[in-house]
Amino acid sequence: MERRHFLRSLAATGTAAGATATAGCAGVLGDSGDDETILGPPEQNRGEPVHPIHGDEMPEFTVPDPIAGEEISTTQFEGERAFLWTSFYTNCPDGVCPALILRLRRAQEVAAEEGFGDEAAFLPLTFDPERDTADVLREYAGQRGVDLDAGNWHFLRPESYEAGVELMDENFGLKIEKTDGEQYENLEYAFPHYGLILLVNKRGIVERAYPRGPATDVERIVDDFRRVVTA
């Protein structure tokens, strides 16, 4: 969409970071205005790293879904589906990423139970494409109780580690970097944990950013999602 400006727009307007946010695959976006949102604005400032918050446009990018064998764009759902987005990797050793997936999976369950699954989508993006192959992601879905047959869950996987680094940097202003995994058993490398979850409405506008996603109450996220999807 032409109204999307991301980091370039923020740099041009001189928007500054506010209070600290401890987690998130961070993003920087232009303000779209409260008239395009459903939920009222929370008491929230931009953190460091800067990430999109209430009223901002979701970054536009296209990433393969290796299980479905198709390209998924963050703009293709506009006018049809609201979605939850997060970033993760399956080899996460300390429970942060499983906690993120749990929150999306619970929202998927509720959407199915209450009949709005066709108006919802779930877009977890791995920043470890070297290890997170289609087979690995499919097995991970089974382990985490994700319903891939529902047709609304897409594991997003950049073509390469380098492509993932570029995507996260250019679209979210976030630096992804491998760290030595020797402190963990049978783990060659690990990543810092960015626990951001974004709730995006059918107009492509962020309704809620949960920068401490793994610590955010599951039912709070589900309730916010329900309100946005069914509005």
Side-chain angles (χ1 to χ4, degrees), residues 99 102-104 106-107 213-223:
L102 167 65
R103 281 148 179 79
L104 270 64
R106 177 57 184 152
T216 303
D217 181 71
V218 175
E219 295 309 315
R220 173 189 165 192
I221 295 175
V222 170
D223 183 60

Side-chain angles (χ1 to χ4, degrees), residues 176-217:
I176 297 295
E177 188 175 356
K178 294 178 182 179
T179 60
D180 195 334
E182 65 179 7
Q183 62 179 308
Y184 304 109
E185 185 177 358
N186 299 322
L187 195 61
E188 179 183 356
Y189 60 86
F191 292 93
H193 298 295
Y194 305 100
L196 178 67
I197 298 173
L198 296 179
L199 166 52
V200 181
N201 67 26
K202 295 176 185 178
R203 296 184 179 186
I205 306 301
V206 174
E207 292 277 359
R208 283 288 183 269
Y210 310 98
R212 298 170 180 83
T216 303
D217 181 71

Side-chain angles (χ1 to χ4, degrees), residues 26-214:
V28 184
L29 304 164
D31 189 356
S32 67
D34 289 346
D35 59 338
E36 296 193 64
T37 59
I38 295 162
L39 303 179
E43 294 182 2
Q44 183 177 31
N45 294 315
R46 296 190 186 280
E48 181 60 44
V50 176
H51 62 75
I53 59 174
H54 175 88
D56 289 341
E57 295 165 352
M58 180 66 182
E60 178 181 352
F61 54 84
T62 301
V63 185
D65 172 346
I67 295 177
E70 60 182 311
E71 299 278 317
I72 300 296
S73 170
T74 53
T75 62
Q76 74 183 64
F77 303 101
E78 290 184 16
E80 298 180 1
R81 297 176 186 250
F83 64 84
L84 288 168
W85 174 93
T86 194
S87 60
F88 78 108
Y89 70 115
T90 64
N91 279 277
C92 176
D94 56 13
V96 171
C97 297
L100 294 169
I101 298 301
L102 167 65
R103 281 148 179 79
L104 270 64
R105 189 262 294 166
R106 177 57 184 152
Q108 185 193 40
E109 288 178 341
V110 171
E113 292 167 359
E114 299 183 10
F116 58 88
D118 289 343
E119 298 178 78
F122 307 91
L123 308 178
L125 183 147
T126 176
F127 42 80
D128 187 16
E130 295 176 345
R131 293 182 295 196
D132 289 344
T133 64
D135 288 343
V136 168
L137 291 170
R138 190 177 289 106
E139 181 179 1
Y140 190 74
Q143 294 170 347
R144 301 298 166 194
V146 171
D147 183 4
L148 294 177
D149 294 330
N152 56 16
W153 187 287
H154 298 279
F155 281 118
L156 306 182
R157 177 179 178 265
E159 294 285 3
S160 65
Y161 168 69
E162 291 75 18
V165 169
E166 181 178 358
L167 184 155
M168 301 304 289
D169 186 17
E170 291 188 355
N171 291 282
F172 295 90
L174 179 71
K175 304 294 184 182
I176 297 295
E177 188 175 356
K178 294 178 182 179
T179 60
D180 195 334
E182 65 179 7
Q183 62 179 308
Y184 304 109
E185 185 177 358
N186 299 322
L187 195 61
E188 179 183 356
Y189 60 86
F191 292 93
H193 298 295
Y194 305 100
L196 178 67
I197 298 173
L198 296 179
L199 166 52
V200 181
N201 67 26
K202 295 176 185 178
R203 296 184 179 186
I205 306 301
V206 174
E207 292 277 359
R208 283 288 183 269
Y210 310 98
R212 298 170 180 83

